[in-house]
């Protein structure tokens, strides 16, 4: 199975900060990577697909990049609504593994 | 409007079985890839199982041989049969739809989740 590793596990930041989360795959997944945002008690929400495609309704301050085994999610200017946990997921193989998550906390 | 509504969660003893359901509306389950994803209390998301539009099924190693994903096309419903449950299976179980247009898509719709608690 392809393993997904996110870093950091927790990130403390302030409103207005630029934030970057990294996701690494144990083998190449081309660009078959998604990013989700989850808030407590809620189902995840799709933000980015195919590594860099911003989904309808997702704010433009979110962007994704990367291919192969290394990917990043960037929030250009952190807003109060962005404090949440973020997950990457690969959908290149039939085992749709998630990263372990990155919690973005208020500094 | 696409909706996914899970049901059937509850308390079950270790070693027991439970079947959870996901009633879909606004689209056809049988023409989409569907997943079950779980989240243990305070933990991250864990992919559990997938059924393709063609009916092929896939499982995480942690549930292989114990869980079975299936669908009822006439009811437009997805199921997860869970056997030989352990305390490690305690989690909120989400039903999820992968975006249409071919295999290998991200999840675009999620249910609200159903809590399965395995405890004596």
């Amino acid at each position: 199975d392809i393993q997904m590793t996110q870093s950091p596990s927790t990130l403390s930041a302030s409103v207005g900060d630029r934030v970057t989360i990294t996701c690494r795959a144990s083998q190449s997944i081309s660009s078959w990577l998604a990013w989700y945002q989850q808030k407590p008690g809620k189902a995840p929400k799709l933000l980015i697909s195919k590594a860099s495609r911003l989904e309808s309704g997702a704010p433009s301050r979110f962007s994704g990049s990367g291919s192969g085994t290394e990917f990043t999610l960037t929030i250009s200017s952190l807003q109060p609504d962005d404090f949440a946990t973020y997950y990457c997921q690969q959908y290149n193989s039939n085992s749709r593994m998630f990263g372990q998550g990155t919690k973005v906390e208020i500094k | 409007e696409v909706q996914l509504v899970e049901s059937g969660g509850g308390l079950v003893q270790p070693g027991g079985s439970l079947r959870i359901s996901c009633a879909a509306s606004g689209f056809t389950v049988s023409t989409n890839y569907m997943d079950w994803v779980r989240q243990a209390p305070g933990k991250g998301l864990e992919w559990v199982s997938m059924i393709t539009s063609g009916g092929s099924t896939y499982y995480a190693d942690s549930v292989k041989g114990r869980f079975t994903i299936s669908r009822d096309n006439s009811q437009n419903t997805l199921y997860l049969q869970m056997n030989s449950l352990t305390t490690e299976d305690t989690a909120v179980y989400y039903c999820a739809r992968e975006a249409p247009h071919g295999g290998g898509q991200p999840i675009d719709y999620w249910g609200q989740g159903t809590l399965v608690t395995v405890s004596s």
Side-chain angles (χ1 to χ4, degrees):
Chain A
D1 288 353
I2 299 174
Q3 303 302 315
M4 307 301 293
T5 304
Q6 278 182 244
S7 60
S9 297
T10 306
L11 189 160
S12 296
S14 302
V15 172
D17 284 354
R18 181 181 180 88
V19 165
T20 298
I21 298 168
T22 298
C23 178
R24 290 186 174 88
S26 60
Q27 64 189 75
S28 178
I29 57 170
S30 185
S31 296
W32 304 117
L33 184 101
W35 289 97
Y36 302 88
Q37 177 193 65
Q38 187 182 34
K39 295 183 178 180
K42 301 291 188 182
K45 173 188 170 184
L46 178 63
L47 291 175
I48 286 172
S49 64
K50 212 172 179 186
S52 61
R53 184 171 65 199
L54 192 68
E55 291 295 309
S56 174
S60 58
R61 59 183 178 272
F62 290 92
S63 64
S65 65
S67 66
T69 61
E70 188 149 342
F71 303 86
T72 58
L73 172 71
T74 300
I75 309 172
S76 60
S77 178
L78 198 64
Q79 298 301 302
D81 192 49
D82 302 337
F83 292 97
T85 301
Y86 295 85
Y87 295 92
C88 62
Q89 183 202 26
Q90 68 83 16
Y91 50 98
N92 178 72
S93 78
N94 290 320
S95 290
R96 310 288 214 224
M97 304 298 282
F98 288 90
Q100 77 275 24
T102 296
K103 185 176 182 179
V104 178
E105 297 181 328
I106 301 173
K107 191 173 185 179
Chain B
E1 179 191 6
V2 170
Q3 283 196 316
L4 297 166
V5 179
E6 299 97 335
S7 61
L11 178 63
V12 60
Q13 291 191 335
S17 298
L18 196 67
R19 188 180 79 161
I20 57 177
S21 304
C22 171
S25 58
F27 74 103
T28 303
V29 165
S30 63
T31 62
N32 285 267
Y33 283 37
M34 300 292 296
D35 295 85
W36 286 100
V37 176
R38 69 184 181 183
Q39 187 167 36
K43 302 297 184 182
L45 301 173
E46 181 186 13
W47 176 79
V48 172
S49 183
M50 177 180 74
I51 185 166
T52 70
S53 51
S56 296
T57 58
Y58 301 90
Y59 300 92
D61 288 344
S62 59
V63 307
K64 202 171 293 182
R66 300 188 300 122
F67 289 12
T68 303
I69 190 172
S70 64
R71 65 191 182 205
D72 182 331
N73 297 344
S74 66
Q75 298 292 319
N76 208 33
T77 297
L78 182 73
Y79 299 100
L80 186 68
Q81 175 68 44
M82 302 181 289
N83 298 331
S84 302
L85 286 161
T86 75
T87 56
E88 300 293 306
D89 297 314
T90 294
V92 172
Y93 285 74
Y94 292 103
C95 166
R97 184 191 87 162
E98 296 191 9
H101 310 304
Q105 298 291 339
I107 292 171
D108 62 351
Y109 284 94
W110 300 71
Q112 84 286 356
T114 189
L115 177 62
V116 173
T117 303
V118 184
S119 176
S120 55

